[in-house]
Amino acid sequence: MKDQNYNAWLLSPNPLGAEIFAKAGFDSVTVDMQHGMLDFRTAIDCFRGIALHGSQPWARVEANDPALITKVLDAGALGVICPLISTPEQADDFVKACRYQFDGGNRSFGPVRAALVLDDYVGRSAELVTAMAMIETREGFNNVEAIAATPGLDGLFIGPADLALAFDMAPTPENRDPAFIERIDRIIAAAHDAGILCGMFAGTPEYAKDMLARGMDMVSAVTDTQILLNGAQSALSTIGPPGGHTAG
Ligand code: 3PY
Ligand code: MG
């Protein structure tokens, strides 16, 4: 890990897209198993494409479930982002699922692909694997300092859409509401006071840049679906006025 900052986010079942993000130069690419339209088998192919270009394969898992966390780690994920962490106990369960017993965790042994592609994977796994707990519930936000103090946790990761909903705000992209920004700043401070990273799903490069300037260590700056939509719309608008495809 654990010094990287530019992350891309994959929502489609598209190993080639994952590979393109890596080739473009992102430090890591997150395969979103929670809200992405892809399954475990496709995720493995994505991990291969990402690593091929020297980028780190990451996964956002569906839930704080050791069975799901074990699967992505065994497949070679080097970063795990866990959604909806609300208490220090949940954060501790998450970290333990990422670490073997000799590192204080309870991860079951069976790194089928991870050990195939990484030298001395088992011995170095605590150093190799970045564990990020998502702060995106009201309870998680209220407990953020205690969560940040969880032994072995590498970072907090802000989910802005759920965090906005948690405080009765709309889940808008690029939320710049002062009350929201104040919460972001508190989460960054909690992470840094505990000596760990703070990351965020930023969603657009502009917002990602602003969040880095606020002190964020890591930003998920683009999604494949948004890039494709933006590019397709821009191509259409270059070609001509809308509606051409409906002409009979
Ligand atoms: C959120 O914004 O809530 C996320 O989980 C990012 O995907
Ligand atoms: Mg979320």
Side-chain angles (χ1 to χ4, degrees), residues 9 32 34-35 60 134 136 157-163 201:
W9 197 271
D32 186 353
Q34 185 189 23
H35 292 297
R60 195 255 293 267
M134 286 193 76
E136 54 178 354
F157 188 87
I158 300 169
D162 280 313
L163 189 63
F201 179 89

Side-chain angles (χ1 to χ4, degrees), residues 35-165:
H35 292 297
M37 306 286 113
L38 52 104
D39 60 14
F40 178 64
R41 189 171 160 182
T42 311
I44 298 172
D45 286 337
C46 292
F47 292 171
R48 288 194 181 104
I50 295 163
L52 198 62
H53 298 288
S55 178
Q56 284 203 356
W58 283 39
R60 195 255 293 267
V61 287
E62 295 93 318
N64 191 9
D65 178 336
L68 301 168
I69 294 165
T70 302
K71 295 285 276 186
V72 295
L73 288 173
D74 288 349
L78 290 178
V80 183
I81 298 174
C82 186
L84 300 166
I85 296 291
S86 291
T87 65
E89 293 75 23
Q90 290 171 2
D92 193 53
D93 287 346
F94 165 53
V95 171
K96 287 199 163 88
C98 293
R99 309 287 184 230
Y100 288 115
Q101 293 180 60
F102 53 79
D103 285 319
N106 53 27
R107 176 178 171 191
S108 174
F109 187 85
V112 174
R113 181 168 180 276
L116 200 66
V117 296
L118 292 153
D119 292 338
D120 188 24
Y121 172 77
V122 175
R124 294 193 301 138
S125 60
E127 167 204 333
L128 290 172
V129 170
T130 303
M132 307 275 282
M134 286 193 76
I135 303 297
E136 54 178 354
T137 64
R138 192 181 278 239
E139 193 184 4
F141 176 75
N142 290 335
N143 286 329
V144 68
E145 287 80 12
I147 290 171
T150 306
L153 187 67
D154 294 303
L156 305 177
F157 188 87
I158 300 169
D162 280 313
L163 189 63
L165 290 172

